[in-house]
Amino acid sequence: MVFKRLLGSLGVGGPTVDTVLSPAPALPGGTLSGEIRLRGGASDVDIEHITLELVAGVEAEHEDGESESGIVFDRFTGGGGFRLAEGEERTVPFGITLPWETPVTELYGQELGIALGLRTELSVAGARDKGDLDRLNVAPRPVQEAILEAFGQLGFGFRSADLELGRIGGTGQQLPFYQELELTPSPAYAHAVNEIEVTFLAAPAGMEVVLEADKRGGLFSSGDDTLTRFTVSHEGVGHQDWNAVVDGWVRQLVEHRESYGPDAAYGHDRHEPHERSVPGLGAGVAAGAAGLAVGVAGGLVAAEVVDEVGDFFEGDEEEGEDEAESAEGEEE
């Protein structure tokens, strides 16, 4: 996907930047490659540096509700230190390593409604502009896909996905936010839980899987949230019965007697999830996989959610245009 716009804050006739990403989706902890295409303006300019920023649309809870804002969660230098001549065309290739906790934006090629992008900033002789913002597509790693496929095979459905500001206590979380994948319960657990939320916290040595169950209240009791955590390796994909493993996880989660209460929502850092470990890694994903893929492809990702992702990018571009117009007004 290509976004091209004039670097207005650099003045009319300034250079333009066009960032082109590799068409294949990236992986958490993997390499994101592409190229930055520059075209010189009406005069020679010195490109001091090119900065690449990873930006995510993250939700934050407040007393009066929720709000979404763009958070920069990593920054890279993509080049610079050269003169761009009048009308010159120059291409700057780049390859950056994504953080291991980078959120997943698609499943089986279907968007999950996550706003994630790469922003290119160009600094020219002390002036700085946001440049262009490209939508970033990130697919799950093999172990993440295997776990989600197992949920689907067990009858769970995909409801929604979002990014929440905060930290999960007792984990090795690195980013200031985490991703929640909300699943509808399978028939076997529909009597016990309203939904199950899955969070992946990947790292080079392995991955933590945090599960939260929104438990149904009974006749004499109210519902509550219960959390538990499991650790898996990235190695040995295809040598585990993931349906059995994930079903065991859910059983432990549902039957777990310790109530963490409503204040134990992710991000409060008041309680540590109950921990389990699973040796090895497992499960190849069946060709033409059903399960959660049916939910996504079948329209369970509401159109308005996808529209919100588009609004996030459009809003960023409008903000940049407003800043450019303001800068031009000050020059006048």
Side-chain angles (χ1 to χ4, degrees):
M1 190 174 296
V2 179
F3 295 82
K4 185 176 182 180
R5 51 178 287 217
L6 177 69
L7 296 181
S9 66
L10 301 178
V12 177
T16 58
V17 60
D18 183 4
T19 302
V20 181
L21 301 180
S22 171
L27 297 178
T31 299
L32 174 67
S33 59
E35 58 184 30
I36 303 165
R37 299 173 183 175
L38 302 173
R39 179 189 292 271
S43 60
D44 297 355
V45 294
D46 291 321
I47 306 297
E48 295 183 344
H49 60 264
I50 303 170
T51 302
L52 301 172
E53 295 181 337
L54 297 175
V55 186
V58 179
E59 295 182 359
E61 294 186 1
H62 308 284
E63 293 182 357
D64 55 350
E66 293 185 350
S67 64
E68 185 180 61
S69 60
I71 291 183
V72 176
F73 62 97
D74 213 340
R75 183 179 284 107
F76 309 86
T77 299
F82 59 86
R83 169 158 290 196
L84 186 66
E86 174 185 351
E88 177 188 356
E89 295 185 1
R90 180 180 294 216
T91 298
V92 181
F94 68 87
I96 61 177
T97 301
L98 296 179
W100 280 85
E101 292 180 14
T102 297
V104 174
T105 67
E106 65 175 58
L107 180 60
Y108 306 113
Q110 301 296 319
E111 291 189 11
L112 299 181
I114 296 296
L116 199 67
L118 178 73
R119 178 185 293 148
T120 305
E121 289 189 346
L122 199 64
S123 293
V124 179
R128 184 179 180 185
D129 192 278
K130 282 190 175 182
D132 63 349
L133 181 65
D134 294 69
R135 184 174 297 183
L136 181 58
N137 297 320
V138 180
R141 295 191 66 86
V143 62
Q144 295 170 320
E145 191 171 81
I147 291 172
L148 292 175
E149 171 61 16
F151 271 109
Q153 295 291 347
L154 291 170
F156 289 82
F158 178 83
R159 174 173 288 167
S160 65
D162 60 14
L163 305 181
E164 297 285 344
L165 185 66
R167 296 183 181 278
I168 305 174
T171 69
Q173 182 182 342
Q174 299 296 311
L175 297 182
F177 60 86
Y178 53 89
Q179 181 175 25
E180 286 184 340
L181 299 170
E182 299 179 359
L183 309 181
T184 58
S186 67
Y189 296 104
H191 68 284
V193 298
N194 295 305
E195 70 177 16
I196 287 183
E197 297 175 346
V198 182
T199 294
F200 295 121
L201 298 175
M207 187 178 70
E208 295 175 275
V209 184
V210 181
L211 302 183
E212 179 179 11
D214 178 10
K215 301 178 71 174
R216 295 188 185 278
L219 182 62
F220 302 103
S221 64
S222 60
D224 55 56
D225 294 341
T226 302
L227 290 83
T228 189
R229 176 168 61 101
F230 306 89
T231 58
V232 296
S233 168
H234 292 294
E235 305 299 326
V237 177
H239 300 291
Q240 186 80 282
D241 182 354
W242 274 109
N243 284 16
V245 170
V246 171
D247 187 60
W249 287 354
V250 176
R251 287 182 183 277
Q252 292 179 40
L253 179 65
V254 172
E255 296 172 359
H256 187 41
R257 298 302 180 187
E258 182 178 358
S259 174
Y260 289 95
D263 288 337
Y266 289 2
H268 288 275
D269 285 334
R270 295 187 181 178
H271 300 283
E272 296 185 3
H274 196 60
E275 182 177 3
R276 295 286 190 276
S277 62
V278 177
L281 175 70
V285 179
L292 295 182
V294 174
V296 179
L300 292 186
V301 179
E304 57 267 22
V305 174
V306 178
D307 288 343
E308 288 178 3
V309 177
D311 293 342
F312 174 80
F313 288 95
E314 291 174 4
D316 186 272
E317 291 182 355
E318 291 174 358
E319 179 183 345
E321 291 171 359
D322 291 341
E323 291 179 357
E325 292 174 0
S326 176
E328 289 178 4
E330 292 178 358
E331 290 179 0
E332 295 176 356

